[in-house]
Amino acid sequence: MKVAIIGAGITGLTTAHALLKEFPTWEVHIYEKSPVLNEVGAGIMLHPNALKVLDYLGVGETIRDAGQQLAKAVITRADLKPIKKSDIDLLTDKDGNTIIGIHRARLQSILADSLPQQRIHLNSELLDVIFNESSVDLKFSTSKGTFDFVLAADGIHSQARSFILPNSKKRYSGQTCWRGISTLKLPEHLHHAAFEAWGNKLRFGIAPISDTEIYWFAVHSESAGGKDTKETLQQDLLDLFHEFNPIIRELIQSTPVQKILRNDISDLERIPVWHKNRMCLLGDAAHATTPNMGQGACQGIEDAFYIAQILLLESNPEKAFTLFEKKRREKVDMVVNTSWKIGKAAHQPVSQFFLRSAFKIIPQSLVKKQMETLYEVEGL
Ligand SMILES: Cc1cc2nc3c(=O)[nH]c(=O)nc-3n(C[C@H](O)[C@H](O)[C@H](O)COP(=O)(O)OP(=O)(O)OC[C@H]3O[C@@H](n4cnc5c(N)ncnc54)[C@H](O)[C@@H]3O)c2cc1C
């Protein structure tokens, strides 16, 4: 089989690993439009569902070593005082896996370096797709080829998706996010957990991603398309978060301003189908979510695992894609919808009040059960 994967992001690279593990003789090519693998200067949280897959693919240990284990995630007030003290580890699965915080560029390098380098084609933007009876012709900016099937993991702005559905839409959450990495030394009690501090229409997250690096994110309700003025950005963020714990302001101050990233937070409106003929969408291309549960990439990693498992059982790609979508829909819909609601509630004073009250009264055992369902990966 000759397979094309579009996009060398977390989903595309993990998908290559998953296919090569189950089908070592297949010719699996990855096409990435960037001239270099994107070294996004931010951190990412990998939850137990993703770690189980990465362990199965043989890269879990290296990823754990390159990141920081986070024993818990705590929602706090602006002063970093927990809204509720948790007495059980909600973010630990049955096997004792907990969250790993890691630099995105490090994660991407680990995934890419352990794949056959001659099959990763950089500078190769997908431009055109022609469906034949039992193959697909692809045209890239610098080459073309014919493949038995195509797995498109080219992100929320997916070009591949436009050949399946011309009219998909992104949905702006009303929130903008800044991200940075600081080398500030945190007090010991903050070093092995992730924190998210909630204020009025504002949130600030902190997650250590190595012994010396702290990833932070700052979220604010505002219109889409806003731009930063680099000269005043740090002061603007300090003004926004002036009522927050001083550590938060120190994290902003200690991050080089050129390295602070800004993104409007959007997800993808639910699309009616993920596949056509011999091409199937995976990861953000199929079901981009807002980041409020830290599950976007984790779900892409799950996609990689499930598509390979289903292809083991069903060798006809079109039938396999139908089975794949059936298997994955319910869980990704739940993640996208829950994440959207959390994001809305976290920024509205009334719903924030109800959410805080709910945190206090909902039994931890119930939340733990829901997290176990989220972390379940069939067969692992
Ligand atoms: C602020 C923020 C914080 C987040 N935090 C977390 C977190 O803690 N945990 C988590 O699990 N998720 C998190 N996410 C979500 C996560 O970043 C995404 O879900 C994940 O990166 C999606 O990976 P992907 O490979 O599907 O898509 P992408 O990362 O978008 O990769 C797509 C790749 O395809 C390439 N490409 C695009 N078009 C073409 C083309 N036409 N031809 C060839 N190549 C193409 C792109 O260059 C890119 O390399 C966060 C997201 C945001 C915005």
PDB file of all heavy atoms in Angstrom, residues 6-12 31-34 38 44-45 104 124-126 153-156 159 177 179 215 282-284 291 294-298, ligand 1:
ATOM      1  N   ILE A   6      -1.281  13.940   5.052  1.00  0.00           N
ATOM      2  CA  ILE A   6      -1.099  15.375   4.808  1.00  0.00           C
ATOM      3  C   ILE A   6      -0.946  16.074   6.154  1.00  0.00           C
ATOM      4  O   ILE A   6      -1.831  16.003   7.004  1.00  0.00           O
ATOM      5  CB  ILE A   6      -2.313  15.998   4.053  1.00  0.00           C
ATOM      6  CG1 ILE A   6      -2.751  15.124   2.864  1.00  0.00           C
ATOM      7  CG2 ILE A   6      -1.987  17.424   3.604  1.00  0.00           C
ATOM      8  CD1 ILE A   6      -1.717  14.922   1.802  1.00  0.00           C
ATOM      9  N   GLY A   7       0.197  16.764   6.343  1.00  0.00           N
ATOM     10  CA  GLY A   7       0.433  17.512   7.571  1.00  0.00           C
ATOM     11  C   GLY A   7       1.339  16.765   8.532  1.00  0.00           C
ATOM     12  O   GLY A   7       1.059  15.626   8.897  1.00  0.00           O
ATOM     13  N   ALA A   8       2.435  17.424   8.931  1.00  0.00           N
ATOM     14  CA  ALA A   8       3.367  16.827   9.902  1.00  0.00           C
ATOM     15  C   ALA A   8       3.205  17.487  11.262  1.00  0.00           C
ATOM     16  O   ALA A   8       4.173  17.826  11.930  1.00  0.00           O
ATOM     17  CB  ALA A   8       4.800  16.941   9.394  1.00  0.00           C
ATOM     18  N   GLY A   9       1.947  17.690  11.666  1.00  0.00           N
ATOM     19  CA  GLY A   9       1.668  18.128  13.034  1.00  0.00           C
ATOM     20  C   GLY A   9       1.619  16.889  13.928  1.00  0.00           C
ATOM     21  O   GLY A   9       2.016  15.783  13.515  1.00  0.00           O
ATOM     22  N   ILE A  10       1.102  17.057  15.140  1.00  0.00           N
ATOM     23  CA  ILE A  10       1.094  15.945  16.097  1.00  0.00           C
ATOM     24  C   ILE A  10       0.260  14.777  15.551  1.00  0.00           C
ATOM     25  O   ILE A  10       0.663  13.615  15.634  1.00  0.00           O
ATOM     26  CB  ILE A  10       0.561  16.431  17.465  1.00  0.00           C
ATOM     27  CG1 ILE A  10       1.523  17.478  18.042  1.00  0.00           C
ATOM     28  CG2 ILE A  10       0.393  15.273  18.443  1.00  0.00           C
ATOM     29  CD1 ILE A  10       0.993  18.239  19.243  1.00  0.00           C
ATOM     30  N   THR A  11      -0.898  15.085  14.950  1.00  0.00           N
ATOM     31  CA  THR A  11      -1.754  14.001  14.441  1.00  0.00           C
ATOM     32  C   THR A  11      -1.089  13.278  13.268  1.00  0.00           C
ATOM     33  O   THR A  11      -1.062  12.035  13.231  1.00  0.00           O
ATOM     34  CB  THR A  11      -3.125  14.556  13.977  1.00  0.00           C
ATOM     35  OG1 THR A  11      -3.704  15.297  15.052  1.00  0.00           O
ATOM     36  CG2 THR A  11      -4.060  13.446  13.557  1.00  0.00           C
ATOM     37  N   GLY A  12      -0.564  14.018  12.308  1.00  0.00           N
ATOM     38  CA  GLY A  12       0.036  13.397  11.124  1.00  0.00           C
ATOM     39  C   GLY A  12       1.217  12.513  11.491  1.00  0.00           C
ATOM     40  O   GLY A  12       1.325  11.364  11.031  1.00  0.00           O
ATOM     41  N   TYR A  31       3.396  14.630   3.892  1.00  0.00           N
ATOM     42  CA  TYR A  31       3.606  15.875   3.137  1.00  0.00           C
ATOM     43  C   TYR A  31       3.275  17.064   4.019  1.00  0.00           C
ATOM     44  O   TYR A  31       2.174  17.163   4.556  1.00  0.00           O
ATOM     45  CB  TYR A  31       2.722  15.884   1.877  1.00  0.00           C
ATOM     46  CG  TYR A  31       3.159  14.821   0.897  1.00  0.00           C
ATOM     47  CD1 TYR A  31       2.630  13.532   0.969  1.00  0.00           C
ATOM     48  CD2 TYR A  31       4.124  15.094  -0.060  1.00  0.00           C
ATOM     49  CE1 TYR A  31       3.056  12.539   0.101  1.00  0.00           C
ATOM     50  CE2 TYR A  31       4.562  14.109  -0.936  1.00  0.00           C
ATOM     51  CZ  TYR A  31       4.019  12.829  -0.852  1.00  0.00           C
ATOM     52  OH  TYR A  31       4.453  11.850  -1.699  1.00  0.00           O
ATOM     53  N   GLU A  32       4.243  17.959   4.182  1.00  0.00           N
ATOM     54  CA  GLU A  32       4.083  19.116   5.078  1.00  0.00           C
ATOM     55  C   GLU A  32       4.378  20.387   4.281  1.00  0.00           C
ATOM     56  O   GLU A  32       5.403  20.485   3.620  1.00  0.00           O
ATOM     57  CB  GLU A  32       5.053  18.965   6.265  1.00  0.00           C
ATOM     58  CG  GLU A  32       5.273  20.202   7.094  1.00  0.00           C
ATOM     59  CD  GLU A  32       3.994  20.789   7.694  1.00  0.00           C
ATOM     60  OE1 GLU A  32       3.208  20.042   8.306  1.00  0.00           O
ATOM     61  OE2 GLU A  32       3.773  22.013   7.521  1.00  0.00           O
ATOM     62  N   LYS A  33       3.480  21.362   4.401  1.00  0.00           N
ATOM     63  CA  LYS A  33       3.663  22.573   3.583  1.00  0.00           C
ATOM     64  C   LYS A  33       4.819  23.457   4.051  1.00  0.00           C
ATOM     65  O   LYS A  33       5.427  24.149   3.252  1.00  0.00           O
ATOM     66  CB  LYS A  33       2.367  23.372   3.512  1.00  0.00           C
ATOM     67  CG  LYS A  33       2.014  24.165   4.723  1.00  0.00           C
ATOM     68  CD  LYS A  33       0.821  25.071   4.433  1.00  0.00           C
ATOM     69  CE  LYS A  33       0.390  25.774   5.693  1.00  0.00           C
ATOM     70  NZ  LYS A  33      -0.860  26.482   5.558  1.00  0.00           N
ATOM     71  N   SER A  34       5.148  23.419   5.356  1.00  0.00           N
ATOM     72  CA  SER A  34       6.222  24.293   5.855  1.00  0.00           C
ATOM     73  C   SER A  34       7.583  23.792   5.387  1.00  0.00           C
ATOM     74  O   SER A  34       7.786  22.589   5.243  1.00  0.00           O
ATOM     75  CB  SER A  34       6.240  24.301   7.383  1.00  0.00           C
ATOM     76  OG  SER A  34       5.018  24.723   7.881  1.00  0.00           O
ATOM     77  N   ASN A  38       7.292  22.856  12.069  1.00  0.00           N
ATOM     78  CA  ASN A  38       6.904  24.012  12.871  1.00  0.00           C
ATOM     79  C   ASN A  38       7.399  23.896  14.295  1.00  0.00           C
ATOM     80  O   ASN A  38       7.006  22.996  15.007  1.00  0.00           O
ATOM     81  CB  ASN A  38       5.375  24.091  12.932  1.00  0.00           C
ATOM     82  CG  ASN A  38       4.857  25.020  11.881  1.00  0.00           C
ATOM     83  OD1 ASN A  38       5.591  25.904  11.440  1.00  0.00           O
ATOM     84  ND2 ASN A  38       3.620  24.817  11.474  1.00  0.00           N
ATOM     85  N   ILE A  44       2.490  22.016  25.777  1.00  0.00           N
ATOM     86  CA  ILE A  44       1.250  21.277  25.540  1.00  0.00           C
ATOM     87  C   ILE A  44       1.099  20.245  26.658  1.00  0.00           C
ATOM     88  O   ILE A  44       2.103  19.755  27.189  1.00  0.00           O
ATOM     89  CB  ILE A  44       1.260  20.605  24.148  1.00  0.00           C
ATOM     90  CG1 ILE A  44      -0.125  20.046  23.812  1.00  0.00           C
ATOM     91  CG2 ILE A  44       2.323  19.516  24.017  1.00  0.00           C
ATOM     92  CD1 ILE A  44      -0.345  19.798  22.337  1.00  0.00           C
ATOM     93  N   MET A  45      -0.151  19.950  26.990  1.00  0.00           N
ATOM     94  CA  MET A  45      -0.419  18.949  28.015  1.00  0.00           C
ATOM     95  C   MET A  45      -0.896  17.661  27.350  1.00  0.00           C
ATOM     96  O   MET A  45      -1.840  17.686  26.556  1.00  0.00           O
ATOM     97  CB  MET A  45      -1.512  19.445  28.958  1.00  0.00           C
ATOM     98  CG  MET A  45      -1.004  19.871  30.305  1.00  0.00           C
ATOM     99  SD  MET A  45      -0.362  21.507  30.325  1.00  0.00           S
ATOM    100  CE  MET A  45      -1.831  22.449  30.530  1.00  0.00           C
ATOM    101  N   ARG A 104       6.199  21.898  22.817  1.00  0.00           N
ATOM    102  CA  ARG A 104       5.652  21.349  21.566  1.00  0.00           C
ATOM    103  C   ARG A 104       6.748  20.971  20.571  1.00  0.00           C
ATOM    104  O   ARG A 104       6.663  19.951  19.903  1.00  0.00           O
ATOM    105  CB  ARG A 104       4.742  22.378  20.892  1.00  0.00           C
ATOM    106  CG  ARG A 104       3.369  22.448  21.491  1.00  0.00           C
ATOM    107  CD  ARG A 104       2.578  23.517  20.785  1.00  0.00           C
ATOM    108  NE  ARG A 104       1.267  23.646  21.374  1.00  0.00           N
ATOM    109  CZ  ARG A 104       0.137  23.142  20.850  1.00  0.00           C
ATOM    110  NH1 ARG A 104       0.169  22.514  19.706  1.00  0.00           N
ATOM    111  NH2 ARG A 104      -1.008  23.307  21.454  1.00  0.00           N
ATOM    112  N   SER A 124       5.892  20.942   0.902  1.00  0.00           N
ATOM    113  CA  SER A 124       4.974  20.213   0.022  1.00  0.00           C
ATOM    114  C   SER A 124       3.530  20.517   0.412  1.00  0.00           C
ATOM    115  O   SER A 124       2.894  19.773   1.153  1.00  0.00           O
ATOM    116  CB  SER A 124       5.212  18.699   0.150  1.00  0.00           C
ATOM    117  OG  SER A 124       6.508  18.387  -0.260  1.00  0.00           O
ATOM    118  N   GLU A 125       3.040  21.627  -0.105  1.00  0.00           N
ATOM    119  CA  GLU A 125       1.659  22.015   0.205  1.00  0.00           C
ATOM    120  C   GLU A 125       0.687  21.263  -0.698  1.00  0.00           C
ATOM    121  O   GLU A 125       0.869  21.233  -1.928  1.00  0.00           O
ATOM    122  CB  GLU A 125       1.496  23.520  -0.001  1.00  0.00           C
ATOM    123  CG  GLU A 125       0.096  23.987   0.332  1.00  0.00           C
ATOM    124  CD  GLU A 125      -0.048  25.499   0.219  1.00  0.00           C
ATOM    125  OE1 GLU A 125       0.919  26.176  -0.197  1.00  0.00           O
ATOM    126  OE2 GLU A 125      -1.150  25.984   0.536  1.00  0.00           O
ATOM    127  N   LEU A 126      -0.318  20.671  -0.099  1.00  0.00           N
ATOM    128  CA  LEU A 126      -1.347  19.990  -0.912  1.00  0.00           C
ATOM    129  C   LEU A 126      -2.142  21.044  -1.678  1.00  0.00           C
ATOM    130  O   LEU A 126      -2.673  21.989  -1.087  1.00  0.00           O
ATOM    131  CB  LEU A 126      -2.297  19.207   0.006  1.00  0.00           C
ATOM    132  CG  LEU A 126      -3.476  18.556  -0.725  1.00  0.00           C
ATOM    133  CD1 LEU A 126      -3.016  17.361  -1.555  1.00  0.00           C
ATOM    134  CD2 LEU A 126      -4.563  18.126   0.262  1.00  0.00           C
ATOM    135  N   ALA A 153      -4.321  15.237   7.859  1.00  0.00           N
ATOM    136  CA  ALA A 153      -4.194  15.775   9.226  1.00  0.00           C
ATOM    137  C   ALA A 153      -3.606  17.175   9.104  1.00  0.00           C
ATOM    138  O   ALA A 153      -2.591  17.485   9.720  1.00  0.00           O
ATOM    139  CB  ALA A 153      -3.303  14.856  10.059  1.00  0.00           C
ATOM    140  N   ASP A 154      -4.249  18.002   8.258  1.00  0.00           N
ATOM    141  CA  ASP A 154      -3.669  19.314   7.963  1.00  0.00           C
ATOM    142  C   ASP A 154      -4.328  20.440   8.752  1.00  0.00           C
ATOM    143  O   ASP A 154      -4.335  21.596   8.324  1.00  0.00           O
ATOM    144  CB  ASP A 154      -3.657  19.599   6.450  1.00  0.00           C
ATOM    145  CG  ASP A 154      -5.008  19.397   5.783  1.00  0.00           C
ATOM    146  OD1 ASP A 154      -5.881  18.750   6.389  1.00  0.00           O
ATOM    147  OD2 ASP A 154      -5.194  19.884   4.655  1.00  0.00           O
ATOM    148  N   GLY A 155      -4.871  20.110   9.912  1.00  0.00           N
ATOM    149  CA  GLY A 155      -5.239  21.130  10.880  1.00  0.00           C
ATOM    150  C   GLY A 155      -6.579  21.807  10.637  1.00  0.00           C
ATOM    151  O   GLY A 155      -7.309  21.493   9.704  1.00  0.00           O
ATOM    152  N   ILE A 156      -6.893  22.757  11.524  1.00  0.00           N
ATOM    153  CA  ILE A 156      -8.224  23.397  11.506  1.00  0.00           C
ATOM    154  C   ILE A 156      -8.497  24.109  10.174  1.00  0.00           C
ATOM    155  O   ILE A 156      -9.645  24.180   9.731  1.00  0.00           O
ATOM    156  CB  ILE A 156      -8.386  24.356  12.723  1.00  0.00           C
ATOM    157  CG1 ILE A 156      -9.822  24.875  12.817  1.00  0.00           C
ATOM    158  CG2 ILE A 156      -7.394  25.490  12.699  1.00  0.00           C
ATOM    159  CD1 ILE A 156     -10.159  25.584  14.119  1.00  0.00           C
ATOM    160  N   GLN A 159      -6.846  22.232   4.014  1.00  0.00           N
ATOM    161  CA  GLN A 159      -7.087  22.379   2.574  1.00  0.00           C
ATOM    162  C   GLN A 159      -7.755  21.102   2.059  1.00  0.00           C
ATOM    163  O   GLN A 159      -8.651  21.144   1.218  1.00  0.00           O
ATOM    164  CB  GLN A 159      -5.722  22.603   1.884  1.00  0.00           C
ATOM    165  CG  GLN A 159      -5.749  22.722   0.393  1.00  0.00           C
ATOM    166  CD  GLN A 159      -6.400  24.026  -0.055  1.00  0.00           C
ATOM    167  OE1 GLN A 159      -6.635  24.918   0.757  1.00  0.00           O
ATOM    168  NE2 GLN A 159      -6.715  24.105  -1.328  1.00  0.00           N
ATOM    169  N   CYS A 177      -5.983  34.120  23.130  1.00  0.00           N
ATOM    170  CA  CYS A 177      -5.030  33.484  24.050  1.00  0.00           C
ATOM    171  C   CYS A 177      -3.600  33.906  23.729  1.00  0.00           C
ATOM    172  O   CYS A 177      -3.214  33.947  22.561  1.00  0.00           O
ATOM    173  CB  CYS A 177      -5.177  31.967  23.880  1.00  0.00           C
ATOM    174  SG  CYS A 177      -4.060  31.009  24.890  1.00  0.00           S
ATOM    175  N   ARG A 179       0.402  32.891  24.685  1.00  0.00           N
ATOM    176  CA  ARG A 179       1.158  31.785  25.287  1.00  0.00           C
ATOM    177  C   ARG A 179       2.643  32.131  25.347  1.00  0.00           C
ATOM    178  O   ARG A 179       3.152  32.810  24.446  1.00  0.00           O
ATOM    179  CB  ARG A 179       0.997  30.506  24.450  1.00  0.00           C
ATOM    180  CG  ARG A 179      -0.365  29.906  24.536  1.00  0.00           C
ATOM    181  CD  ARG A 179      -0.498  28.689  23.622  1.00  0.00           C
ATOM    182  NE  ARG A 179      -0.608  29.054  22.231  1.00  0.00           N
ATOM    183  CZ  ARG A 179      -0.577  28.182  21.231  1.00  0.00           C
ATOM    184  NH1 ARG A 179      -0.401  26.909  21.488  1.00  0.00           N
ATOM    185  NH2 ARG A 179      -0.706  28.585  19.987  1.00  0.00           N
ATOM    186  N   TYR A 215       5.484  26.792  31.133  1.00  0.00           N
ATOM    187  CA  TYR A 215       4.578  27.221  30.052  1.00  0.00           C
ATOM    188  C   TYR A 215       3.416  27.950  30.696  1.00  0.00           C
ATOM    189  O   TYR A 215       2.892  27.522  31.725  1.00  0.00           O
ATOM    190  CB  TYR A 215       4.117  25.959  29.309  1.00  0.00           C
ATOM    191  CG  TYR A 215       2.858  26.091  28.477  1.00  0.00           C
ATOM    192  CD1 TYR A 215       2.729  27.074  27.506  1.00  0.00           C
ATOM    193  CD2 TYR A 215       1.798  25.202  28.659  1.00  0.00           C
ATOM    194  CE1 TYR A 215       1.579  27.170  26.733  1.00  0.00           C
ATOM    195  CE2 TYR A 215       0.646  25.284  27.890  1.00  0.00           C
ATOM    196  CZ  TYR A 215       0.546  26.275  26.932  1.00  0.00           C
ATOM    197  OH  TYR A 215      -0.593  26.365  26.176  1.00  0.00           O
ATOM    198  N   LEU A 282      -8.384  13.547   9.788  1.00  0.00           N
ATOM    199  CA  LEU A 282      -8.042  13.159  11.164  1.00  0.00           C
ATOM    200  C   LEU A 282      -7.681  14.418  11.958  1.00  0.00           C
ATOM    201  O   LEU A 282      -7.291  15.433  11.388  1.00  0.00           O
ATOM    202  CB  LEU A 282      -6.820  12.242  11.203  1.00  0.00           C
ATOM    203  CG  LEU A 282      -6.783  10.949  10.394  1.00  0.00           C
ATOM    204  CD1 LEU A 282      -5.447  10.242  10.652  1.00  0.00           C
ATOM    205  CD2 LEU A 282      -7.923  10.025  10.764  1.00  0.00           C
ATOM    206  N   GLY A 283      -7.738  14.319  13.282  1.00  0.00           N
ATOM    207  CA  GLY A 283      -7.268  15.402  14.159  1.00  0.00           C
ATOM    208  C   GLY A 283      -8.066  16.679  13.955  1.00  0.00           C
ATOM    209  O   GLY A 283      -9.268  16.658  13.673  1.00  0.00           O
ATOM    210  N   ASP A 284      -7.367  17.833  14.093  1.00  0.00           N
ATOM    211  CA  ASP A 284      -8.054  19.129  13.983  1.00  0.00           C
ATOM    212  C   ASP A 284      -8.746  19.302  12.633  1.00  0.00           C
ATOM    213  O   ASP A 284      -9.729  20.037  12.539  1.00  0.00           O
ATOM    214  CB  ASP A 284      -7.046  20.277  14.175  1.00  0.00           C
ATOM    215  CG  ASP A 284      -6.859  20.631  15.640  1.00  0.00           C
ATOM    216  OD1 ASP A 284      -7.207  19.805  16.499  1.00  0.00           O
ATOM    217  OD2 ASP A 284      -6.345  21.736  15.925  1.00  0.00           O
ATOM    218  N   PRO A 291      -9.300  24.796  23.452  1.00  0.00           N
ATOM    219  CA  PRO A 291      -8.300  24.068  24.275  1.00  0.00           C
ATOM    220  C   PRO A 291      -8.659  23.906  25.747  1.00  0.00           C
ATOM    221  O   PRO A 291      -7.792  23.543  26.536  1.00  0.00           O
ATOM    222  CB  PRO A 291      -7.053  24.945  24.120  1.00  0.00           C
ATOM    223  CG  PRO A 291      -7.540  26.284  23.783  1.00  0.00           C
ATOM    224  CD  PRO A 291      -8.873  26.162  23.130  1.00  0.00           C
ATOM    225  N   GLY A 294      -7.672  20.662  27.209  1.00  0.00           N
ATOM    226  CA  GLY A 294      -6.331  20.166  26.850  1.00  0.00           C
ATOM    227  C   GLY A 294      -6.412  18.839  26.114  1.00  0.00           C
ATOM    228  O   GLY A 294      -5.592  17.946  26.302  1.00  0.00           O
ATOM    229  N   GLN A 295      -7.407  18.712  25.226  1.00  0.00           N
ATOM    230  CA  GLN A 295      -7.644  17.404  24.592  1.00  0.00           C
ATOM    231  C   GLN A 295      -7.508  17.425  23.064  1.00  0.00           C
ATOM    232  O   GLN A 295      -7.657  16.375  22.436  1.00  0.00           O
ATOM    233  CB  GLN A 295      -9.040  16.897  24.965  1.00  0.00           C
ATOM    234  CG  GLN A 295      -9.079  16.132  26.277  1.00  0.00           C
ATOM    235  CD  GLN A 295      -8.408  14.759  26.206  1.00  0.00           C
ATOM    236  OE1 GLN A 295      -8.416  14.097  25.177  1.00  0.00           O
ATOM    237  NE2 GLN A 295      -7.797  14.338  27.294  1.00  0.00           N
ATOM    238  N   GLY A 296      -7.252  18.598  22.444  1.00  0.00           N
ATOM    239  CA  GLY A 296      -7.230  18.651  20.972  1.00  0.00           C
ATOM    240  C   GLY A 296      -6.227  17.674  20.388  1.00  0.00           C
ATOM    241  O   GLY A 296      -6.563  16.783  19.593  1.00  0.00           O
ATOM    242  N   ALA A 297      -4.970  17.825  20.777  1.00  0.00           N
ATOM    243  CA  ALA A 297      -3.925  16.944  20.246  1.00  0.00           C
ATOM    244  C   ALA A 297      -4.130  15.514  20.754  1.00  0.00           C
ATOM    245  O   ALA A 297      -3.864  14.545  20.025  1.00  0.00           O
ATOM    246  CB  ALA A 297      -2.554  17.463  20.657  1.00  0.00           C
ATOM    247  N   CYS A 298      -4.605  15.387  21.996  1.00  0.00           N
ATOM    248  CA  CYS A 298      -4.828  14.037  22.560  1.00  0.00           C
ATOM    249  C   CYS A 298      -5.841  13.279  21.692  1.00  0.00           C
ATOM    250  O   CYS A 298      -5.681  12.075  21.450  1.00  0.00           O
ATOM    251  CB  CYS A 298      -5.326  14.129  23.997  1.00  0.00           C
ATOM    252  SG  CYS A 298      -4.155  14.893  25.128  1.00  0.00           S
TER     253      CYS A 298
HETATM  254  C1  LIG B   1      -3.944  27.863  22.924  1.00  0.00           C
HETATM  255  C2  LIG B   1      -4.007  26.383  22.641  1.00  0.00           C
HETATM  256  C3  LIG B   1      -3.620  25.481  23.624  1.00  0.00           C
HETATM  257  C4  LIG B   1      -3.740  24.099  23.398  1.00  0.00           C
HETATM  258  N1  LIG B   1      -3.373  23.224  24.368  1.00  0.00           N
HETATM  259  C5  LIG B   1      -3.518  21.880  24.170  1.00  0.00           C
HETATM  260  C6  LIG B   1      -3.129  20.937  25.188  1.00  0.00           C
HETATM  261  O1  LIG B   1      -2.636  21.305  26.265  1.00  0.00           O
HETATM  262  N2  LIG B   1      -3.325  19.602  24.933  1.00  0.00           N
HETATM  263  C7  LIG B   1      -3.854  19.153  23.753  1.00  0.00           C
HETATM  264  O2  LIG B   1      -4.027  17.933  23.583  1.00  0.00           O
HETATM  265  N3  LIG B   1      -4.210  20.029  22.769  1.00  0.00           N
HETATM  266  C8  LIG B   1      -4.042  21.371  22.949  1.00  0.00           C
HETATM  267  N4  LIG B   1      -4.380  22.252  21.950  1.00  0.00           N
HETATM  268  C9  LIG B   1      -4.903  21.732  20.676  1.00  0.00           C
HETATM  269  C10 LIG B   1      -3.765  21.258  19.786  1.00  0.00           C
HETATM  270  O3  LIG B   1      -2.822  22.290  19.611  1.00  0.00           O
HETATM  271  C11 LIG B   1      -4.298  20.812  18.441  1.00  0.00           C
HETATM  272  O4  LIG B   1      -5.434  20.011  18.631  1.00  0.00           O
HETATM  273  C12 LIG B   1      -3.233  20.014  17.704  1.00  0.00           C
HETATM  274  O5  LIG B   1      -2.074  20.777  17.507  1.00  0.00           O
HETATM  275  C13 LIG B   1      -3.800  19.550  16.362  1.00  0.00           C
HETATM  276  O6  LIG B   1      -2.820  18.798  15.705  1.00  0.00           O
HETATM  277  P1  LIG B   1      -3.002  18.418  14.183  1.00  0.00           P
HETATM  278  O7  LIG B   1      -1.757  17.694  13.818  1.00  0.00           O
HETATM  279  O8  LIG B   1      -4.320  17.760  13.985  1.00  0.00           O
HETATM  280  O9  LIG B   1      -3.082  19.809  13.420  1.00  0.00           O
HETATM  281  P2  LIG B   1      -1.956  20.952  13.321  1.00  0.00           P
HETATM  282  O10 LIG B   1      -1.145  21.047  14.546  1.00  0.00           O
HETATM  283  O11 LIG B   1      -2.658  22.190  12.881  1.00  0.00           O
HETATM  284  O12 LIG B   1      -0.995  20.436  12.165  1.00  0.00           O
HETATM  285  C14 LIG B   1      -1.363  20.506  10.815  1.00  0.00           C
HETATM  286  C15 LIG B   1      -0.112  20.451   9.969  1.00  0.00           C
HETATM  287  O13 LIG B   1      -0.514  20.421   8.592  1.00  0.00           O
HETATM  288  C16 LIG B   1       0.262  21.344   7.849  1.00  0.00           C
HETATM  289  N5  LIG B   1      -0.550  21.760   6.709  1.00  0.00           N
HETATM  290  C17 LIG B   1      -1.617  22.603   6.692  1.00  0.00           C
HETATM  291  N6  LIG B   1      -2.114  22.716   5.451  1.00  0.00           N
HETATM  292  C18 LIG B   1      -1.358  21.935   4.639  1.00  0.00           C
HETATM  293  C19 LIG B   1      -1.376  21.634   3.244  1.00  0.00           C
HETATM  294  N7  LIG B   1      -2.307  22.175   2.428  1.00  0.00           N
HETATM  295  N8  LIG B   1      -0.453  20.786   2.759  1.00  0.00           N
HETATM  296  C20 LIG B   1       0.477  20.200   3.565  1.00  0.00           C
HETATM  297  N9  LIG B   1       0.555  20.471   4.905  1.00  0.00           N
HETATM  298  C21 LIG B   1      -0.365  21.310   5.434  1.00  0.00           C
HETATM  299  C22 LIG B   1       0.533  22.473   8.834  1.00  0.00           C
HETATM  300  O14 LIG B   1       1.661  23.231   8.456  1.00  0.00           O
HETATM  301  C23 LIG B   1       0.758  21.697  10.134  1.00  0.00           C
HETATM  302  O15 LIG B   1       2.098  21.308  10.283  1.00  0.00           O
HETATM  303  C24 LIG B   1      -4.241  23.633  22.156  1.00  0.00           C
HETATM  304  C25 LIG B   1      -4.606  24.548  21.165  1.00  0.00           C
HETATM  305  C26 LIG B   1      -4.484  25.914  21.399  1.00  0.00           C
HETATM  306  C27 LIG B   1      -4.891  26.879  20.306  1.00  0.00           C
END
